[in-house]
Every structure is written in structure tokens, then in C-alpha cells.
């Protein structure tokens, strides 16, 4: 890989994580709050300005890649979980770049999975990982990301989809009641309506009739100071298991199923001791198939940056 510095970013609905890459190393990783900047271009300039102030050679950056929490299908990108909207080509020109690659954030995260070190993941439950097989990915955060990677010879191909918006299917009477409450509010109820920061708030509201923000729910559940919050997190983890099992079945993810996103890593034992794995395997006649698929929690701090870096290298190669 060239030692010429490249700009990388992982942009969610809440935070944008920026870094410079020189050779194989990520340097100067910084997290900016999306709400602090009117446009993505201004956030990029703010990061580069701060990096320059720290003595880094940002003027030599010619190539950049952004992983963003949104579908990326055409030149115009309008985020569904934030107000940023931009033209990729116009942004490239404004930033003075030779190339700008913009990809779905979960496709970038998925691209990192075959390269995660053992220290960058935590096994949840049993199963046997098979080499060179499809790998699945699901991650609750501001929204619900779903992706995967498929082996293609010596390469991997990332899938960019919007699986978080599939229809939610309840598995218990309690979940049926939650679905009925949310039907009255939204009509269509997606998996993301439950498996996201907003999802925690909606589950809690459906159970208790109280409006509580997601950080307070997870904090009270971890502390054990609210039975409603503990129950909310229990249901959240169980539903996540069911939806992750659906993704694994759809992809045939015998290479493993991974959990990313910003919420689950904060839950600690509430997640690892939850019904997640039991619900992942609970697929009737296909339960033995799911039992053979290992599930992992991603623990590496900035895995999407590694994935989007690999995608940028492939992109630059096509331009030469």
C-alpha cells in the first residue's frame, strides 16, 4: 500500500469517525459529532484543519473513502438518520481530491470481517467457523445495519443492502403486544424500529407507557435500578437474536455471524447472558443448521475504517 496519506471516515447518524492512513497504519483517529456541523464537507474540513494543526501533512491527501450509514446508489446521497445531503462528485471537487469513494457503512464493516484478529472479536455461544464461506453482519446503533461478505476467489465482495428495514416478526406474546402498540404509531414496523437506540425507547414505552431516552434505559438496566429497563434490554437482545438468525439463514453465513453497532458492546453481561444465542438458533427444523454457525461480537474499536480502506485500495486500482 502506498505511503501517501489517505483520508478515511466512518459516518453514522450521530458521530463521524475520521482518520488518516499512511501505509498500513491508521493515524490521528478523531470522532466528531455530526450535529456540530451543517454539512459533511464542513466536518471533513474541520477534521483536516485539526490534523494540520497537529503537524500532519494533510495537503498531500489525494484519495478519500467515506463509509456512511445510508444507501449509496447514485451521486446524490441524503442520509436517512441525519440531515446531511451531498453530491459525491461535487464534494470531491470541493475537497480537491483525485478520487472520493462513498460506500454503505455496513458494507465497509463487513469487508473488515475476514481480517479481524482474535483480539477484535468475542465469541457468543457455540458453532464452528468454516473458511471461505459467507459471513453475516448485523449492528444496532442509531439505525440497524445489515450486511455480509461473500468469498470470490482470493477476494471478498461486500453486500450493500437495507436489511434493517425488513418487517419485524414477533416470536412471543409479549412481542406481539409491542408490535401492536407500534402498529398504532407507525403502520409498518421494521426490525430497526426495535433494534436501534430509538428501538430501546419504543420497547420501553410499549412495556411501561413511559418515555425514557436510550442511554438512561441501558444505564438503569446495567445498574439494575429499573425492572422495566432490564426487561427492555432483555427483549432487545432476544429480538436481535431472532433477526440475526434470519440474516444468517438468508446468506447461508456458515463463515460466522457478527454483531457490530454502538449499542451491544455497552451491554456487557446483559448481552452475553441474554437469550440472544437461544433465539438465534430457534428456527424450528433449521435449528441444527443455526447451532453450527458461530456468533461473534465485534470488539475492535474502528473496524469499518479497515474495511473502507480495503475498498479504497480496490477503487484506486481500477483507476490506474
Amino acid at each position: 500500500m502506498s505511503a501517501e496519506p489517505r483520508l478515511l471516515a466512518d459516518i453514522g447518524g450521530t458521530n463521524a469517525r475520521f482518520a488518516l492512513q499512511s501505509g498500513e497504519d491508521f493515524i490521528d483517529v478523531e470522532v466528531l459529532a455530526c450535529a456540530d456541523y451543517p454539512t459533511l464537507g464542513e466536518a471533513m474540513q474541520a477534521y483536516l484543519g485539526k490534523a494540520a494543526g497537529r503537524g500532519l501533512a494533510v495537503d498531500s491527501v489525494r484519495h478519500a473513502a467515506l463509509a456512511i450509514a445510508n444507501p449509496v446508489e447514485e451521486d446524490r446521497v441524503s442520509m436517512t438518520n441525519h440531515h446531511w445531503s451531498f453530491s459525491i462528485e461535487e464534494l470531491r471537487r470541493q475537497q480537491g481530491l483525485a478520487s472520493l469513494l462513498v460506500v454503505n457503512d455496513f458494507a465497509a464493516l463487513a469487508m473488515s470481517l475476514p481480517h479481524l484478529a482474535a483480539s477484535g472479536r468475542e465469541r457468543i455461544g457455540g458453532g464452528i467457523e468454516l473458511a471461505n464461506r459467507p459471513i453475516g453482519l448485523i449492528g444496532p446503533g442509531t439505525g440497524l445495519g445489515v450486511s455480509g461478505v461473500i468469498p470470490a476467489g482470493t477476494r471478498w465482495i461486500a453486500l450493500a443492502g437495507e436489511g434493517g428495514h425488513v418487517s419485524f416478526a414477533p416470536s412471543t406474546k409479549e412481542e406481539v403486544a409491542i408490535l401492536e402498540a407500534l402498529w398504532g404509531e407507525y403502520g409498518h414496523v421494521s426490525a430497526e424500529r426495535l433494534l436501534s437506540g430509538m428501538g430501546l425507547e419504543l420497547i420501553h414505552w410499549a412495556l411501561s407507557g413511559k418515555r425514557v431516552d436510550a442511554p438512561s434505559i441501558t444505564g438503569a438496566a446495567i445498574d439494575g435500578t429499573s425492572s422495566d429497563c432490564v426487561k427492555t434490554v432483555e427483549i432487545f437482545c432476544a429480538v436481535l437474536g431472532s433477526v440475526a438468525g434470519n440474516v444468517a439463514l438468508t446468506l447461508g453465513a456458515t463463515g460466522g455471524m457478527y454483531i457490530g453497532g454502538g449499542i451491544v458492546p455497552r451491554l456487557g453481561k446483559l448481552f452475553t447472558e441474554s437469550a440472544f444465542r437461544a433465539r438465534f438458533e430457534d428456527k424450528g427444523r433449521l435449528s441444527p443448521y443455526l447451532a453450527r454457525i458461530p456468533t461473534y461480537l465485534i470488539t475492535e474499536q474502528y473496524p469499518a475504517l479497515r474495511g473502507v480502506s480495503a475498498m479504497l485500495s480496490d477503487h484506486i486500482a481500477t483507476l490506474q
Side-chain angles (χ1 to χ4, degrees), residues 121-130 135-136 248 253-259 276-277 280-281 289-297:
R121 65 185 193 180
E122 178 184 355
R123 178 186 282 268
I124 309 296
I128 300 173
E129 179 179 342
L130 301 181
I135 302 172
T254 52
M257 186 72 205
Y258 285 74
I259 304 98
F276 167 82
R277 180 69 195 190
F280 176 81
E281 296 181 11
Y289 178 88
L290 271 299
R292 293 193 297 268
I293 296 178
T295 48
Y296 300 98
L297 176 62

Side-chain angles (χ1 to χ4, degrees), residues 216 219-230:
S216 297
I222 292 168
D223 294 342
T225 54
S226 167
S227 59
D228 286 337
C229 292
V230 170

Side-chain angles (χ1 to χ4, degrees), residues 10 96 131 137 153 205 273 314:
D10 174 19
L137 172 65
W205 167 76
E273 297 177 0
D314 288 345

Side-chain angles (χ1 to χ4, degrees), residues 71-269:
V72 181
E73 298 173 345
E74 298 177 343
D75 179 68
R76 171 61 59 176
V77 178
S78 297
M79 295 183 67
T80 55
N81 289 316
H82 190 60
H83 68 265
W84 285 348
S85 178
F86 61 95
S87 156
I88 298 173
E89 178 59 20
E90 182 179 336
L91 184 61
R92 182 195 67 79
R93 290 197 302 266
Q94 288 174 350
Q95 302 296 320
L97 297 167
S99 70
L100 173 62
L101 177 68
V102 181
V103 300
N104 174 265
D105 64 331
F106 261 71
L109 181 56
M111 187 63 84
S112 75
L113 300 181
H115 312 293
L116 282 183
S119 60
R121 65 185 193 180
E122 178 184 355
R123 178 186 282 268
I124 309 296
I128 300 173
E129 179 179 342
L130 301 181
N132 298 313
R133 301 291 182 88
I135 302 172
L137 172 65
I138 188 169
T142 305
L144 178 64
V146 173
S147 186
V149 283
I150 307 297
T154 59
R155 298 175 58 245
W156 291 87
I157 297 174
L159 303 175
E162 289 299 316
H165 294 276
V166 299
S167 300
F168 167 63
S171 297
T172 67
K173 290 182 178 180
E174 200 164 37
E175 291 170 15
V176 170
I178 292 171
L179 176 59
E180 289 177 341
L182 298 186
W183 267 335
E185 290 284 306
Y186 299 104
H188 176 254
V189 177
S190 66
E192 182 176 87
R193 286 291 183 199
L194 283 80
L195 298 178
S196 59
M198 179 186 291
L200 283 166
E201 296 170 6
L202 290 174
I203 294 171
H204 187 276
W205 167 76
L207 291 173
S208 67
K210 302 172 185 176
R211 300 285 185 177
V212 180
D213 63 85
S216 297
I217 292 169
T218 54
I222 292 168
D223 294 342
T225 54
S226 167
S227 59
D228 286 337
C229 292
V230 170
K231 186 64 175 178
T232 294
V233 171
E234 288 175 350
I235 291 173
F236 176 93
C237 293
V239 171
L240 179 59
S242 289
V243 178
N246 291 344
V247 176
L249 285 174
T250 301
L251 296 182
T254 52
M257 186 72 205
Y258 285 74
I259 304 98
I263 294 175
V264 176
R266 299 191 182 105
L267 299 179
K269 289 185 177 181

Side-chain angles (χ1 to χ4, degrees), residues 58-75:
V58 300
D59 290 342
S60 60
V61 173
R62 298 177 58 250
H63 302 284
L66 312 178
I68 192 165
N70 209 74
V72 181
E73 298 173 345
E74 298 177 343
D75 179 68

Side-chain angles (χ1 to χ4, degrees), residues 15-35:
N15 294 312
R17 300 158 188 86
F18 288 95
L20 293 172
Q21 183 178 26
S22 181
E24 295 291 338
D25 298 324
F26 299 131
I27 56 176
D28 204 58
V29 178
E30 184 171 2
V31 181
L32 302 182
C34 296

